[in-house]
Amino acid sequence: LPQGFRRVSGNDNVPHLCDPRGNPYLITEDGTFFQHGDSGGRPVAFDMRTLAIVVRDVEDLGGAAMGLPMPVLVRDDGSESEDAWREVQRSAEERSSGGGIF
């Protein structure tokens, strides 16, 4: 494992310890979750609130335009959505534009 990472354990209070490919999720010393490198190594969120925070953090660093990997949402059933971050971006854009309310 890369320095500063460890495998997620039951003590981390997450619904899934491994991804759909059987690779363990990883956690950094600051509590950020990631896919295993063999699964893509992208940041991981287990709920929409956390996904929104991770998307904002990635965007603050330059986002996809800088080649940074956007986060993956792990659904309740353990499947992964690699494009749920787009929904978070759309919601944020609607809020900042007033959501179309005049």
mmCIF file with all atom_site columns, all heavy atoms in Angstrom, residues 45-56 73 88:
data_model
loop_
_atom_site.group_PDB
_atom_site.id
_atom_site.type_symbol
_atom_site.label_atom_id
_atom_site.label_alt_id
_atom_site.label_comp_id
_atom_site.label_asym_id
_atom_site.label_entity_id
_atom_site.label_seq_id
_atom_site.pdbx_PDB_ins_code
_atom_site.Cartn_x
_atom_site.Cartn_y
_atom_site.Cartn_z
_atom_site.occupancy
_atom_site.B_iso_or_equiv
_atom_site.pdbx_formal_charge
_atom_site.auth_seq_id
_atom_site.auth_comp_id
_atom_site.auth_asym_id
_atom_site.auth_atom_id
_atom_site.pdbx_PDB_model_num
ATOM 1   N N   . ALA A 1 45 ? -16.837 8.046  -1.967 1.00 0.00 ? 45 ALA A N   1
ATOM 2   C CA  . ALA A 1 45 ? -17.795 8.541  -0.973 1.00 0.00 ? 45 ALA A CA  1
ATOM 3   C C   . ALA A 1 45 ? -18.884 7.489  -0.819 1.00 0.00 ? 45 ALA A C   1
ATOM 4   O O   . ALA A 1 45 ? -19.253 6.817  -1.784 1.00 0.00 ? 45 ALA A O   1
ATOM 5   C CB  . ALA A 1 45 ? -18.404 9.858  -1.422 1.00 0.00 ? 45 ALA A CB  1
ATOM 6   N N   . PHE A 1 46 ? -19.390 7.343  0.404  1.00 0.00 ? 46 PHE A N   1
ATOM 7   C CA  . PHE A 1 46 ? -20.414 6.343  0.680  1.00 0.00 ? 46 PHE A CA  1
ATOM 8   C C   . PHE A 1 46 ? -21.807 6.954  0.807  1.00 0.00 ? 46 PHE A C   1
ATOM 9   O O   . PHE A 1 46 ? -22.770 6.239  1.074  1.00 0.00 ? 46 PHE A O   1
ATOM 10  C CB  . PHE A 1 46 ? -20.054 5.556  1.941  1.00 0.00 ? 46 PHE A CB  1
ATOM 11  C CG  . PHE A 1 46 ? -18.824 4.704  1.767  1.00 0.00 ? 46 PHE A CG  1
ATOM 12  C CD1 . PHE A 1 46 ? -17.579 5.176  2.135  1.00 0.00 ? 46 PHE A CD1 1
ATOM 13  C CD2 . PHE A 1 46 ? -18.912 3.450  1.208  1.00 0.00 ? 46 PHE A CD2 1
ATOM 14  C CE1 . PHE A 1 46 ? -16.440 4.397  1.966  1.00 0.00 ? 46 PHE A CE1 1
ATOM 15  C CE2 . PHE A 1 46 ? -17.783 2.655  1.026  1.00 0.00 ? 46 PHE A CE2 1
ATOM 16  C CZ  . PHE A 1 46 ? -16.543 3.135  1.411  1.00 0.00 ? 46 PHE A CZ  1
ATOM 17  N N   . ASP A 1 47 ? -21.930 8.283  0.612  1.00 0.00 ? 47 ASP A N   1
ATOM 18  C CA  . ASP A 1 47 ? -23.229 8.946  0.635  1.00 0.00 ? 47 ASP A CA  1
ATOM 19  C C   . ASP A 1 47 ? -23.123 10.244 -0.164 1.00 0.00 ? 47 ASP A C   1
ATOM 20  O O   . ASP A 1 47 ? -22.032 10.731 -0.443 1.00 0.00 ? 47 ASP A O   1
ATOM 21  C CB  . ASP A 1 47 ? -23.724 9.205  2.064  1.00 0.00 ? 47 ASP A CB  1
ATOM 22  C CG  . ASP A 1 47 ? -22.753 10.067 2.865  1.00 0.00 ? 47 ASP A CG  1
ATOM 23  O OD1 . ASP A 1 47 ? -22.518 11.238 2.467  1.00 0.00 ? 47 ASP A OD1 1
ATOM 24  O OD2 . ASP A 1 47 ? -22.245 9.591  3.896  1.00 0.00 ? 47 ASP A OD2 1
ATOM 25  N N   . MET A 1 48 ? -24.284 10.801 -0.523 1.00 0.00 ? 48 MET A N   1
ATOM 26  C CA  . MET A 1 48 ? -24.300 11.999 -1.383 1.00 0.00 ? 48 MET A CA  1
ATOM 27  C C   . MET A 1 48 ? -23.713 13.221 -0.691 1.00 0.00 ? 48 MET A C   1
ATOM 28  O O   . MET A 1 48 ? -23.070 14.043 -1.335 1.00 0.00 ? 48 MET A O   1
ATOM 29  C CB  . MET A 1 48 ? -25.724 12.290 -1.866 1.00 0.00 ? 48 MET A CB  1
ATOM 30  C CG  . MET A 1 48 ? -26.242 11.282 -2.885 1.00 0.00 ? 48 MET A CG  1
ATOM 31  S SD  . MET A 1 48 ? -25.258 11.195 -4.396 1.00 0.00 ? 48 MET A SD  1
ATOM 32  C CE  . MET A 1 48 ? -25.732 12.712 -5.205 1.00 0.00 ? 48 MET A CE  1
ATOM 33  N N   . ARG A 1 49 ? -23.911 13.358 0.599  1.00 0.00 ? 49 ARG A N   1
ATOM 34  C CA  . ARG A 1 49 ? -23.368 14.514 1.329  1.00 0.00 ? 49 ARG A CA  1
ATOM 35  C C   . ARG A 1 49 ? -21.841 14.513 1.259  1.00 0.00 ? 49 ARG A C   1
ATOM 36  O O   . ARG A 1 49 ? -21.220 15.513 0.938  1.00 0.00 ? 49 ARG A O   1
ATOM 37  C CB  . ARG A 1 49 ? -23.849 14.498 2.782  1.00 0.00 ? 49 ARG A CB  1
ATOM 38  C CG  . ARG A 1 49 ? -23.443 15.733 3.563  1.00 0.00 ? 49 ARG A CG  1
ATOM 39  C CD  . ARG A 1 49 ? -23.922 15.640 5.025  1.00 0.00 ? 49 ARG A CD  1
ATOM 40  N NE  . ARG A 1 49 ? -22.846 15.915 5.928  1.00 0.00 ? 49 ARG A NE  1
ATOM 41  C CZ  . ARG A 1 49 ? -21.866 15.096 6.304  1.00 0.00 ? 49 ARG A CZ  1
ATOM 42  N NH1 . ARG A 1 49 ? -21.826 13.878 5.883  1.00 0.00 ? 49 ARG A NH1 1
ATOM 43  N NH2 . ARG A 1 49 ? -20.915 15.483 7.126  1.00 0.00 ? 49 ARG A NH2 1
ATOM 44  N N   . THR A 1 50 ? -21.258 13.364 1.527  1.00 0.00 ? 50 THR A N   1
ATOM 45  C CA  . THR A 1 50 ? -19.803 13.246 1.468  1.00 0.00 ? 50 THR A CA  1
ATOM 46  C C   . THR A 1 50 ? -19.312 13.401 0.035  1.00 0.00 ? 50 THR A C   1
ATOM 47  O O   . THR A 1 50 ? -18.277 14.029 -0.205 1.00 0.00 ? 50 THR A O   1
ATOM 48  C CB  . THR A 1 50 ? -19.340 11.903 2.059  1.00 0.00 ? 50 THR A CB  1
ATOM 49  O OG1 . THR A 1 50 ? -19.867 11.781 3.387  1.00 0.00 ? 50 THR A OG1 1
ATOM 50  C CG2 . THR A 1 50 ? -17.834 11.793 2.082  1.00 0.00 ? 50 THR A CG2 1
ATOM 51  N N   . LEU A 1 51 ? -20.075 12.865 -0.915 1.00 0.00 ? 51 LEU A N   1
ATOM 52  C CA  . LEU A 1 51 ? -19.703 13.016 -2.321 1.00 0.00 ? 51 LEU A CA  1
ATOM 53  C C   . LEU A 1 51 ? -19.612 14.492 -2.686 1.00 0.00 ? 51 LEU A C   1
ATOM 54  O O   . LEU A 1 51 ? -18.659 14.922 -3.340 1.00 0.00 ? 51 LEU A O   1
ATOM 55  C CB  . LEU A 1 51 ? -20.705 12.296 -3.226 1.00 0.00 ? 51 LEU A CB  1
ATOM 56  C CG  . LEU A 1 51 ? -20.407 12.380 -4.721 1.00 0.00 ? 51 LEU A CG  1
ATOM 57  C CD1 . LEU A 1 51 ? -19.125 11.636 -5.066 1.00 0.00 ? 51 LEU A CD1 1
ATOM 58  C CD2 . LEU A 1 51 ? -21.577 11.841 -5.527 1.00 0.00 ? 51 LEU A CD2 1
ATOM 59  N N   . ALA A 1 52 ? -20.589 15.286 -2.251 1.00 0.00 ? 52 ALA A N   1
ATOM 60  C CA  . ALA A 1 52 ? -20.577 16.721 -2.548 1.00 0.00 ? 52 ALA A CA  1
ATOM 61  C C   . ALA A 1 52 ? -19.330 17.390 -1.970 1.00 0.00 ? 52 ALA A C   1
ATOM 62  O O   . ALA A 1 52 ? -18.720 18.249 -2.615 1.00 0.00 ? 52 ALA A O   1
ATOM 63  C CB  . ALA A 1 52 ? -21.843 17.383 -2.006 1.00 0.00 ? 52 ALA A CB  1
ATOM 64  N N   . ILE A 1 53 ? -18.929 17.002 -0.776 1.00 0.00 ? 53 ILE A N   1
ATOM 65  C CA  . ILE A 1 53 ? -17.731 17.571 -0.147 1.00 0.00 ? 53 ILE A CA  1
ATOM 66  C C   . ILE A 1 53 ? -16.485 17.206 -0.946 1.00 0.00 ? 53 ILE A C   1
ATOM 67  O O   . ILE A 1 53 ? -15.633 18.052 -1.221 1.00 0.00 ? 53 ILE A O   1
ATOM 68  C CB  . ILE A 1 53 ? -17.619 17.094 1.317  1.00 0.00 ? 53 ILE A CB  1
ATOM 69  C CG1 . ILE A 1 53 ? -18.747 17.701 2.155  1.00 0.00 ? 53 ILE A CG1 1
ATOM 70  C CG2 . ILE A 1 53 ? -16.249 17.435 1.903  1.00 0.00 ? 53 ILE A CG2 1
ATOM 71  C CD1 . ILE A 1 53 ? -18.902 17.060 3.528  1.00 0.00 ? 53 ILE A CD1 1
ATOM 72  N N   . VAL A 1 54 ? -16.385 15.929 -1.338 1.00 0.00 ? 54 VAL A N   1
ATOM 73  C CA  . VAL A 1 54 ? -15.206 15.470 -2.085 1.00 0.00 ? 54 VAL A CA  1
ATOM 74  C C   . VAL A 1 54 ? -15.167 16.137 -3.463 1.00 0.00 ? 54 VAL A C   1
ATOM 75  O O   . VAL A 1 54 ? -14.101 16.564 -3.921 1.00 0.00 ? 54 VAL A O   1
ATOM 76  C CB  . VAL A 1 54 ? -15.168 13.931 -2.186 1.00 0.00 ? 54 VAL A CB  1
ATOM 77  C CG1 . VAL A 1 54 ? -13.993 13.471 -3.033 1.00 0.00 ? 54 VAL A CG1 1
ATOM 78  C CG2 . VAL A 1 54 ? -15.097 13.300 -0.803 1.00 0.00 ? 54 VAL A CG2 1
ATOM 79  N N   . VAL A 1 55 ? -16.324 16.270 -4.125 1.00 0.00 ? 55 VAL A N   1
ATOM 80  C CA  . VAL A 1 55 ? -16.366 16.948 -5.427 1.00 0.00 ? 55 VAL A CA  1
ATOM 81  C C   . VAL A 1 55 ? -15.870 18.382 -5.276 1.00 0.00 ? 55 VAL A C   1
ATOM 82  O O   . VAL A 1 55 ? -15.053 18.856 -6.068 1.00 0.00 ? 55 VAL A O   1
ATOM 83  C CB  . VAL A 1 55 ? -17.794 16.911 -6.028 1.00 0.00 ? 55 VAL A CB  1
ATOM 84  C CG1 . VAL A 1 55 ? -17.916 17.878 -7.203 1.00 0.00 ? 55 VAL A CG1 1
ATOM 85  C CG2 . VAL A 1 55 ? -18.151 15.500 -6.461 1.00 0.00 ? 55 VAL A CG2 1
ATOM 86  N N   . ARG A 1 56 ? -16.346 19.072 -4.259 1.00 0.00 ? 56 ARG A N   1
ATOM 87  C CA  . ARG A 1 56 ? -15.914 20.460 -4.033 1.00 0.00 ? 56 ARG A CA  1
ATOM 88  C C   . ARG A 1 56 ? -14.399 20.517 -3.795 1.00 0.00 ? 56 ARG A C   1
ATOM 89  O O   . ARG A 1 56 ? -13.710 21.375 -4.342 1.00 0.00 ? 56 ARG A O   1
ATOM 90  C CB  . ARG A 1 56 ? -16.668 21.070 -2.851 1.00 0.00 ? 56 ARG A CB  1
ATOM 91  C CG  . ARG A 1 56 ? -16.353 22.557 -2.654 1.00 0.00 ? 56 ARG A CG  1
ATOM 92  C CD  . ARG A 1 56 ? -17.053 23.148 -1.461 1.00 0.00 ? 56 ARG A CD  1
ATOM 93  N NE  . ARG A 1 56 ? -16.564 22.493 -0.255 1.00 0.00 ? 56 ARG A NE  1
ATOM 94  C CZ  . ARG A 1 56 ? -17.342 21.952 0.686  1.00 0.00 ? 56 ARG A CZ  1
ATOM 95  N NH1 . ARG A 1 56 ? -18.638 21.991 0.589  1.00 0.00 ? 56 ARG A NH1 1
ATOM 96  N NH2 . ARG A 1 56 ? -16.816 21.373 1.746  1.00 0.00 ? 56 ARG A NH2 1
ATOM 97  N N   . LEU A 1 73 ? -19.169 7.254  -6.188 1.00 0.00 ? 73 LEU A N   1
ATOM 98  C CA  . LEU A 1 73 ? -20.160 7.045  -5.141 1.00 0.00 ? 73 LEU A CA  1
ATOM 99  C C   . LEU A 1 73 ? -20.389 5.551  -4.990 1.00 0.00 ? 73 LEU A C   1
ATOM 100 O O   . LEU A 1 73 ? -20.667 4.859  -5.971 1.00 0.00 ? 73 LEU A O   1
ATOM 101 C CB  . LEU A 1 73 ? -21.487 7.725  -5.494 1.00 0.00 ? 73 LEU A CB  1
ATOM 102 C CG  . LEU A 1 73 ? -22.641 7.452  -4.531 1.00 0.00 ? 73 LEU A CG  1
ATOM 103 C CD1 . LEU A 1 73 ? -22.363 8.083  -3.159 1.00 0.00 ? 73 LEU A CD1 1
ATOM 104 C CD2 . LEU A 1 73 ? -23.951 7.955  -5.104 1.00 0.00 ? 73 LEU A CD2 1
ATOM 105 N N   . VAL A 1 88 ? -24.011 16.079 -8.562 1.00 0.00 ? 88 VAL A N   1
ATOM 106 C CA  . VAL A 1 88 ? -23.623 17.025 -7.515 1.00 0.00 ? 88 VAL A CA  1
ATOM 107 C C   . VAL A 1 88 ? -23.280 18.370 -8.147 1.00 0.00 ? 88 VAL A C   1
ATOM 108 O O   . VAL A 1 88 ? -23.700 19.418 -7.667 1.00 0.00 ? 88 VAL A O   1
ATOM 109 C CB  . VAL A 1 88 ? -22.434 16.479 -6.686 1.00 0.00 ? 88 VAL A CB  1
ATOM 110 C CG1 . VAL A 1 88 ? -21.866 17.542 -5.776 1.00 0.00 ? 88 VAL A CG1 1
ATOM 111 C CG2 . VAL A 1 88 ? -22.855 15.252 -5.898 1.00 0.00 ? 88 VAL A CG2 1
#
